[in-house]
């Protein structure tokens, strides 16, 4: 989910939805408030976290932005710079995919192949991806009546 000009709330909500341990659902607002206080000493209520995440409050304090960045392990610029946010989001997507055991198993199996065979697998994946893209575009076209 890499998009241009996302608001602070959208970026925070994206971190909440994606940055969490693999064996559980996203952190609750209460857990985030507690974790932020524990890690950084910056206090805020669960309600305040929720209001910032849904855009009901559009005035995050600098200390809160820094605390969220530390809690989620992202640079502070994630919240302001589209390029930084895009790169971080791609890295998070990679981690989420790696948490998927099927993807991890495929990657581990591929690493045992010779370099030449890995190139073949990569080419096959590229072809499959291209085929899926073509199919999905064709499916979106309206059929003539």
């Amino acid at each position: 989910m890499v998009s241009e000009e996302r608001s602070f709330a959208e970026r925070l909500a994206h971190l909440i939805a994606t940055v969490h341990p693999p064996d559980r659902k996203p952190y609750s607002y209460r857990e985030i408030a507690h974790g932020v206080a524990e890690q950084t000493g910056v206090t805020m209520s669960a309600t305040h976290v929720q209001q910032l995440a849904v855009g009901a409050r559009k005035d995050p304090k600098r200390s809160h932005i820094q605390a969220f960045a530390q809690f989620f392990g992202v640079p502070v610029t994630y919240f302001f710079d589209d390029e930084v946010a895009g790169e971080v989001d791609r890295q998070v997507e990679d981690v989420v995919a790696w948490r998927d055991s099927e993807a991890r198993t495929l990657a581990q199996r591929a690493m045992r192949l010779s370099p030449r065979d890995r190139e073949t697998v990569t080419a096959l994946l590229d072809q499959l991806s291209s085929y899926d893209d073509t199919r999905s575009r064709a499916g979106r076209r309206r059929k003539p009546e």
Side-chain angles (χ1 to χ4, degrees):
M1 173 189 157
V2 178
S3 63
E4 301 286 319
E5 306 277 331
R6 290 184 299 157
S7 68
F8 176 85
E10 290 168 322
R11 292 174 196 227
L12 178 59
H14 181 70
L15 290 175
I16 292 169
T18 57
V19 179
H20 55 82
D23 57 344
R24 59 161 292 158
K25 294 183 187 240
Y27 294 110
S28 69
Y29 298 127
R30 181 171 312 220
E31 288 174 312
I32 294 167
H34 178 75
V36 162
E38 206 170 72
Q39 283 185 19
T40 68
V42 174
T43 59
M44 64 185 95
S45 69
T47 302
H48 189 77
V49 174
Q50 185 228 2
Q51 289 173 339
L52 289 170
V54 300
R57 292 195 68 164
K58 300 184 187 316
D59 60 342
K61 293 179 182 176
R62 178 181 290 157
S63 62
H64 290 168
I65 295 168
Q66 292 169 332
F68 285 132
Q70 186 174 336
F71 179 80
F72 288 108
V74 299
V76 172
T77 52
Y78 173 84
F79 293 105
F80 307 105
D81 185 313
D82 290 334
E83 200 171 310
V84 171
E87 180 60 31
V88 168
D89 288 345
R90 282 187 289 280
Q91 291 172 358
V92 168
E93 286 171 14
D94 289 345
V95 169
V96 169
W98 187 251
R99 288 192 312 212
D100 175 350
S101 62
E102 186 177 354
R104 187 173 52 249
T105 300
L106 282 171
Q108 289 169 335
R109 289 178 64 192
M111 290 311 297
R112 285 182 249 149
L113 298 173
S114 69
R116 182 173 154 227
D117 290 344
R118 282 197 305 266
E119 286 178 24
T120 302
V121 169
T122 299
L124 285 169
L125 290 171
D126 290 344
Q127 284 182 320
L128 287 170
S129 179
S130 175
Y131 174 73
D132 283 345
D133 290 346
T134 302
R135 235 180 33 189
S136 68
R137 278 194 303 270
R140 283 186 260 167
R141 291 188 194 129
R142 287 190 56 144
K143 296 180 181 169
E145 296 181 23

